[in-house]
Structure formats: structure tokens, C-alpha cells
Amino acid sequence: MTDLDRDREAVLAANAAFYAAFEMLDYDAMKRAWATSPQVTCIHPGATPIAGRDAVLSSWREIFASTTSIHFTLADVRAYVAGDVAWVVLVEQIEARHDEAVVRASTRATNVFVREAGEYRLVHHHAEPASARRMPARATALN
Amino acid sequence: MTDLDRDREAVLAANAAFYAAFEMLDYDAMKRAWATSPQVTCIHPGATPIAGRDAVLSSWREIFASTTSIHFTLADVRAYVAGDVAWVVLVEQIEARHDEAVVRASTRATNVFVREAGEYRLVHHHAEPASARRMPARATALN
């Protein structure tokens, strides 16, 4: 296994850790997924870009507070590495539950990572709503 | 001026060159804006991600062929540099003309650059349609 292969695996693991933190709605794990640099940015689906670590972490706190459960299936995952920076381009298939509604969505995402103390951590997340269906929670029992 | 400042300026210049190539509908300039690496990716607004230099460059050729004119105003431009990789997060305000229709759109974009032979070049462009208005070309004379 070359260094590049190892780096790509490390980036894919960091990417998976980000989505695992999101699925667990685990704020501390989400915090660890992000770089400690204040220069982080985030574009949540359909929202204005957010800049700065404090603002980005606050946005996750709010999202977690308003989400009952969320599940991701990742597709077309492509990871690229150039030294201490890496980026992942992928499609997120999402099923989220917010109180009485279930949202099934597909988003296209770009995640940029920087290596800090040997670990790749997010410096930018851009998720674009590709398509979404919203329905009352009960209706999903029929699917 | 520090090296970091110089790098940030170089990235902003590369970002500006990309939008200038787009406005001029200049395929050769667009080709020069992209890294020569085959590992480039592009997500055009509302479209499936494209991977590979040939496929990405073909997509620009098609876009240029179907665009009569396009103008960008860039807003909230944030540039970040980590060695030979840089990324720019911004809002594109677009006015495009396609035959008889004028489209005014605002898109959120992420551009990732890698330094090749001393020059930052695009390896990933992700533009998300934030909002769009489409109208017959004549109607814009009233605005």
C-alpha cells in the first residue's frame, strides 16, 4: 500500500466519521470531526454560507436539536489527496425525521479536509439539496 | 506581504481567471484554468457530478455552446490556502442569456485549486443553484 493509498483511506475514514457523528447526533464527535482552525466554512443545504469555527459548530448544535433521527447512504464517493489537504465529492442519500415529518433527500456534497496532528479534519462542508421529498411521518409506513 | 498573503492573492487571481474565462466563453482560457491532472471533478448547478478532466472540459464546451452571454458578480468571497491546495467559498450572482431567455440566478460555490508548476488551477468546482428567475429576454428591458 502506497502513502497515497494510506492517505486516501484516512480521508475516507474521516469522511465516514463525520457522517457517523451526524447520524448519532453526537455534538462532541461532530466537534472532533472539524479542524480546530477558526477558518472553517459550511454551506448547509439551501442555506447561506457560514464562516468561522464557532458559527459552524453552533449550526450543528441547532441542527441536532431539531432532528429526531437521520440516516445517510453515501454514493459515488470520490476522494482526492494532495499532501495535507484532501477533498471528497459524493452524493448523500438522506432519510431524516423531524418531529412529525420524514424527509427523504438526495444531496450533492463537497467536503474539504486538512491534516492536523496526523488526522484529517473538516475545514469545509458544502451540501446542496439535489432533490427532496417531505411527507408526514405516518405515510412512510406504506413505503 | 507574507507568503500566505501572496498565496491568497494568487488563489483569488486564479478564481477570477476562471470566471473571466466563463464570461468570455473562451474554451482555451477555461482549459488553462483547470489542472492538467485527470483527477478533476465538477458539479454544475443542479447536475450530476462529473469526474475526469476530459468529461469536465467537454461539459464546459457544451455550456459555452448553449450560452449567448453570461455575467458574474462575485460576493462573500472567502479564500483559504494550505500549502499547494487552496479553496474558495463564494456566492455567484449570475445573469445569463440563452437564446430568447434571460436567467438571473444566485449560486453558492466551492472551488478547489491545486498549485501546478507555480500556478493555482481548479481541481473541483461545485456550484449550487441558490435561487433562479427565468424570463423572456425582452422582459428584462423593463428592469
Side-chain angles (χ1 to χ4, degrees):
Chain A
M1 188 183 260
T2 66
D3 282 354
L4 188 62
D5 289 338
R6 245 187 302 268
D7 286 350
R8 282 189 74 251
E9 286 210 352
V11 170
L12 289 169
N15 194 63
F18 163 66
Y19 289 102
F22 201 163
E23 286 194 330
M24 292 183 296
L25 303 173
D26 179 338
Y27 177 74
D28 288 332
M30 180 54 83
K31 205 168 158 180
R32 281 193 301 277
W34 284 82
T36 57
S37 158
Q39 298 206 327
V40 302
T41 45
C42 188
I43 309 178
H44 293 295
T48 303
I50 300 169
R53 181 171 160 89
D54 291 347
V56 169
L57 291 179
S58 291
S59 73
W60 288 109
R61 208 185 265 284
E62 280 170 36
I63 288 168
F64 287 5
S66 66
T67 305
T68 311
S69 74
I70 189 160
H71 179 69
F72 290 91
T73 306
L74 306 184
D76 298 334
V77 180
R78 295 185 176 96
Y80 304 92
V81 177
D84 287 337
V85 186
W87 57 102
V88 179
V89 178
L90 73 160
V91 174
E92 308 168 343
Q93 278 142 7
I94 302 172
E95 183 169 320
R97 196 172 283 260
H98 309 272
D99 299 327
E100 290 306 300
V102 169
V103 177
R104 293 219 178 85
S106 168
T107 73
R108 291 177 274 264
T110 298
N111 296 325
V112 183
F113 297 84
V114 165
R115 192 148 43 187
E116 277 188 351
E119 305 246 323
Y120 284 108
R121 291 183 159 195
L122 269 173
V123 285
H124 178 58
H125 169 65
H126 180 175
E128 162 195 358
S131 70
R133 271 201 307 157
R134 196 182 171 85
M135 63 203 85
R138 249 181 333 179
T140 58
L142 304 171
N143 290 316
Chain B
M1 191 183 256
T2 66
D3 282 356
L4 188 62
D5 289 338
R6 244 186 303 269
D7 287 350
R8 284 189 72 250
E9 286 209 352
V11 170
L12 289 169
N15 193 64
F18 163 66
Y19 289 103
F22 201 163
E23 285 194 332
M24 292 182 296
L25 303 173
D26 179 338
Y27 177 74
D28 288 332
M30 180 54 84
K31 205 168 158 180
R32 281 194 302 275
W34 284 82
T36 57
S37 158
Q39 299 207 326
V40 302
T41 45
C42 188
I43 308 178
H44 293 296
T48 302
I50 300 169
R53 182 173 160 87
D54 291 348
V56 168
L57 290 179
S58 291
S59 73
W60 287 111
R61 208 185 266 283
E62 281 170 37
I63 287 169
F64 287 4
S66 66
T67 305
T68 311
S69 73
I70 189 160
H71 179 68
F72 289 90
T73 304
L74 306 184
D76 298 335
V77 181
R78 294 185 177 97
Y80 303 93
V81 177
D84 286 339
V85 186
W87 56 101
V88 178
V89 178
L90 74 160
V91 174
E92 307 168 345
Q93 276 142 9
I94 303 173
E95 182 168 322
R97 196 172 283 260
H98 309 273
D99 299 327
E100 290 305 299
V102 169
V103 176
R104 293 217 178 88
S106 168
T107 75
R108 291 176 274 263
T110 298
N111 296 325
V112 183
F113 298 83
V114 165
R115 191 149 43 187
E116 276 187 353
E119 304 247 325
Y120 284 109
R121 292 183 159 195
L122 268 172
V123 285
H124 177 59
H125 169 65
H126 179 175
E128 160 196 357
S131 70
R133 270 200 308 156
R134 196 181 172 86
M135 64 204 84
R138 249 186 327 182
T140 58
L142 303 172
N143 291 315

